[in-house]
Amino acid sequence: MNNIENIREMEEAMNAHRAEMQKINKFFSVIYLLCMVPNLIIVILGLAIIVVMVVTLGTVGYVITPTMALKWFASIGAVILFGMSNSKYKKCTYWSVAILLFMSLLVVIDGMIPVMYPIQAALQYLCLKKYDRVDYLKAQQGYPDFNPVLFVSAVADTNRRLDDNEVKALLSQNRENRQAIRIEDVPDEMPGLEVPDENEYLTEREIADRKMNDIFKE
């Protein structure tokens, strides 16, 4: 009965953790899209302007200021950081906030009032507030799927087929165990072992050559 109750408690806990994990994933995904799409558009537009200027040999009357160039490069970095933040890398979420504040500063330098970047920075900050729960869930059994059936099967089924990573781990462990055998643990004299006569494995021609060499030496 205790085992059945423990399994039921584990299933209930995993179901609750899975529901919470799904909500967090949706939250991160929505913020990722809200931050990524506008900056990706800026990257594409900037790339299109560069292509036009190259094709027309700079005859197009469009001036790219240093702050505009910095904003474009920062947008490229921001898109990458948003993707890493969506994968729940906390440092990348911090950097996402920092780069959005940097781009807000560039807008201010251009003499405009930043709107989009501060809002996106606030959204990324909301992601930072979720990391306490993310870290908690990472420490729970069954992360990240929290599927009781798969978890119990993986733990209880000792006859299951090993995947490639498990096979490599076992091979590595066996290799380390073999290397750990100290040479001094082997006794100096091994009973029952005889040193074979090297002449036993020589051909008649090799034996004759050795005899001739011995004669010349004498």
Side-chain angles (χ1 to χ4, degrees), residues 11-212:
E11 289 180 352
E12 292 176 357
M14 283 194 178
N15 290 332
H17 292 155
R18 182 171 66 254
E20 184 178 4
M21 195 73 219
Q22 289 174 348
K23 290 181 180 179
I24 292 176
N25 288 337
K26 289 180 181 178
F27 182 83
F28 271 76
S29 297
V30 170
I31 291 181
Y32 168 67
L33 291 175
L34 292 174
C35 293
M36 186 272 294
V37 172
N39 285 278
L40 184 60
I41 293 174
I42 292 174
V43 172
I44 294 174
L45 290 176
L47 185 61
I49 292 172
I50 293 174
V51 171
V52 170
M53 293 185 68
V54 171
V55 171
T56 60
L57 299 177
T59 58
V60 177
Y62 191 85
V63 179
I64 299 178
T65 64
T67 53
M68 290 174 60
L70 283 174
K71 192 190 304 179
W72 184 71
F73 284 111
S75 296
I76 296 175
V79 170
I80 297 173
L81 288 172
F82 295 153
M84 300 296 289
S85 176
N86 186 46
S87 299
K88 298 172 187 65
Y89 290 96
K90 193 172 184 178
K91 290 183 178 180
C92 292
T93 307
Y94 274 115
W95 279 108
S96 297
V97 175
I99 201 168
L100 287 167
L101 294 177
F102 173 71
M103 287 191 286
S104 299
L105 179 61
L106 293 178
V107 174
V108 173
I109 293 175
D110 280 338
M112 295 180 289
I113 299 176
V115 177
M116 181 182 71
Y117 297 132
I119 293 175
Q120 291 178 342
L123 292 175
Q124 290 294 325
Y125 177 76
L126 291 178
C127 289
L128 286 174
K129 304 294 288 183
K130 294 289 184 180
Y131 275 102
D132 288 340
R133 294 305 301 171
V134 172
D135 292 338
Y136 169 78
L137 291 172
K138 284 182 178 180
Q140 304 308 307
Q141 292 179 338
Y143 176 85
D145 297 324
F146 294 111
N147 189 324
V149 178
L150 294 178
F151 179 77
V152 172
S153 175
V155 173
D157 187 8
T158 56
N159 294 323
R160 63 188 176 90
R161 184 177 179 180
L162 298 177
D163 58 28
D164 293 339
N165 292 330
E166 290 172 321
V167 171
K168 291 179 181 178
L170 289 175
L171 290 176
S172 176
Q173 183 178 2
N174 291 335
R175 183 168 59 252
E176 291 174 358
N177 289 338
R178 290 196 302 270
Q179 292 175 350
I181 298 176
R182 295 179 302 178
I183 193 66
E184 59 265 21
D185 291 338
V186 180
D188 295 333
E189 297 181 2
M190 299 294 290
L193 295 178
E194 298 180 358
V195 178
D197 185 5
E198 63 177 358
N199 293 328
E200 182 179 352
Y201 300 98
L202 298 176
T203 63
E204 294 181 357
R205 177 64 181 273
E206 291 173 336
I207 294 174
D209 290 341
R210 289 196 174 189
K211 287 182 178 180
M212 291 296 296

